[in-house]
Amino acid sequence: AQSVTQLDSQVPVFEEAPVELRCNYSSSVSVYLFWYVQYPNQGLQLLLKYLSGSTLVKSINGFEAEFNKSQTSFHLRKPSVHISDTAEYFCAVSEGGGSQGNLIFGKGTKLSVKP
Amino acid sequence: DADVTQTPRNRITKTGKRIMLECSQTKGHDRMYWYRQDPGLGLRLIYYSFDVKDINKGEISDGYSVSRQAQAKFSLSLESAIPNQTALYFCATSDRGRGYTFGSGTRLTVV
């Protein structure tokens, strides 16, 4: 069975500092990997995803994540955060190849950006 | 209109009442899901359906039931609501696991 571990439940940082939100997964098959963001009192938005190809994927607002198969990780990074990045971030995994697998979520990391 | 629409957006109900949460989609996806979100626990899968005739239990199905009325409609029922079912509920659709579209959520409070 697949599982996702987000190693930090809360990450406080100052504005313009770099940030890394860690995500590790376990799976015996190939995977698709996702990061979702949830702003306060809102629904889930897809931030970025890895399906295949280049292991480095990027979002339109400056986040990036790298799929590392050997370390079973998909950490999310941003070189300089803004106040508006304050949100909860969820890492998720599903089985690749169009299989019957479902999307499994980590418990989330709350990013708090302080001025 | 949103691709995945959930109704109601908010609901307060009493312990023991039956309640139905509805979800409809315009994505044309066969796969539909119901998740619940609790603080500190992330999203957990309640039920999922890969087509109209295929319904499967997820991680936390006890106390819930579902109905797939059509490809575009997937409803979640709480037969006898209890306070620990107070949560934020999300419906989602999937394009064969390559992409997932979520509704805006239903905030359910059981008093």
Side-chain angles (χ1 to χ4, degrees), chain A residues 2-18:
Chain A
Q2 297 165 303
S3 66
V4 178
T5 301
Q6 292 185 243
L7 296 161
D8 305 295
S9 59
Q10 298 188 51
V11 174
V13 296
F14 287 105
E15 193 173 20
E16 298 183 4

Side-chain angles (χ1 to χ4, degrees), chain A residues 32 34 36 38 41-44 46 49 51-52 88 90 94-95 97-108 110, chain B residues 9 31 33 35 37-45 48 50 54 88 90 96-105 107:
Chain A
Y32 297 147
F34 305 81
Y36 285 87
Q38 185 177 37
N41 298 313
Q42 294 191 25
L44 291 169
L46 178 66
K49 64 181 178 182
L51 301 182
S52 65
E88 190 161 18
F90 294 95
S94 69
E95 288 185 9
S99 76
Q100 299 286 304
N102 298 310
L103 190 63
I104 306 300
F105 284 85
K107 294 183 177 182
K110 290 186 177 179
Chain B
R9 292 294 307 276
R31 302 184 184 187
Y33 308 80
Y35 289 87
Q37 182 183 9
D38 298 279
L41 297 180
L43 280 79
R44 293 179 291 167
L45 184 62
Y48 61 101
F50 284 166
D54 178 70
L88 183 57
F90 286 103
R96 294 169 296 139
R98 296 176 62 86
Y100 292 78
T101 303
F102 285 82
S104 299
R107 188 168 297 279

Side-chain angles (χ1 to χ4, degrees), chain B residues 1-79:
Chain B
D1 288 341
D3 293 326
V4 180
T5 302
Q6 292 184 233
T7 55
R9 292 294 307 276
N10 292 280
R11 180 73 181 268
I12 300 174
T13 192
K14 294 183 177 181
T15 297
K17 293 291 188 181
R18 183 179 189 275
I19 182 170
M20 178 182 290
L21 309 184
E22 299 189 0
C23 176
S24 62
Q25 54 118 343
T26 58
K27 299 288 289 185
H29 293 163
D30 288 326
R31 302 184 184 187
M32 297 189 74
Y33 308 80
W34 276 104
Y35 289 87
R36 70 175 274 177
Q37 182 183 9
D38 298 279
L41 297 180
L43 280 79
R44 293 179 291 167
L45 184 62
I46 306 172
Y47 270 95
Y48 61 101
S49 169
F50 284 166
D51 64 45
V52 175
K53 296 181 180 180
D54 178 70
I55 303 288
N56 303 280
K57 293 182 177 181
E59 179 187 354
I60 53 165
S61 60
D62 287 349
Y64 301 95
S65 62
V66 291
S67 173
R68 185 81 183 266
Q69 300 95 324
Q71 187 208 36
K73 295 184 182 295
F74 192 39
S75 60
L76 175 72
S77 294
L78 287 67
E79 298 301 326

Side-chain angles (χ1 to χ4, degrees), chain A residues 53-66:
Chain A
S54 173
T55 57
L56 183 65
V57 291
K58 299 184 179 184
S59 73
I60 60 173
N61 59 349
F63 283 94
E64 64 180 34
E66 186 160 20

